[in-house]
Amino acid sequence: SLKEGLELTGKVTVICQTDNSKDAIHFCETKEFEVIIMDVQIIGDNGINTAINIRKEFPRKPILFYSIQDDDSYFRDFLHEH
């Protein structure tokens, strides 16, 4: 998994893993973190809209998107918002 691969580097500690937008937003509101790695497809709202909501509260926190999607519209939506 992505989590295991990142942690095997010895340079990354994954402190939260969730598959839905509600839990992702709750985590960001209640815990300290350095960066978010967000799949564009998560349960609830999609990862792009979830990131937009998180960025409203934490505009300086970096968000890295990953996806196996061929459709770039997710990313265009995010860039359009920012």
Side-chain angles (χ1 to χ4, degrees):
S1 76
L2 179 61
K3 177 183 184 278
E4 292 167 349
L6 290 169
E7 289 182 336
L8 280 174
T9 68
K11 298 179 180 184
V12 175
T13 301
V14 177
I15 56 174
C16 178
Q17 182 176 353
T18 182
D19 64 353
N20 68 78
S21 58
K22 182 179 175 184
D23 289 347
I25 291 170
H26 177 73
F27 171 82
C28 292
E29 293 173 340
T30 59
K31 305 291 183 191
E32 291 292 321
F33 63 95
E34 292 182 26
V35 65
I36 297 169
I37 301 175
M38 178 83 66
D39 191 344
V40 297
Q41 284 194 316
I42 58 175
I43 298 169
D45 207 349
N46 69 49
I48 302 295
N49 289 334
T50 301
I52 290 168
N53 288 325
I54 291 169
R55 292 290 286 225
K56 289 176 184 173
E57 295 297 320
F58 305 97
R60 298 223 173 249
K61 293 289 185 175
I63 300 174
L64 172 68
F65 292 106
Y66 73 96
S67 175
I68 59 171
Q69 298 299 313
D70 290 335
D71 184 2
D72 290 342
S73 66
Y74 286 107
F75 299 105
R76 279 186 257 122
D77 290 346
F78 180 75
L79 293 173
H80 182 264
E81 291 287 327
H82 292 83

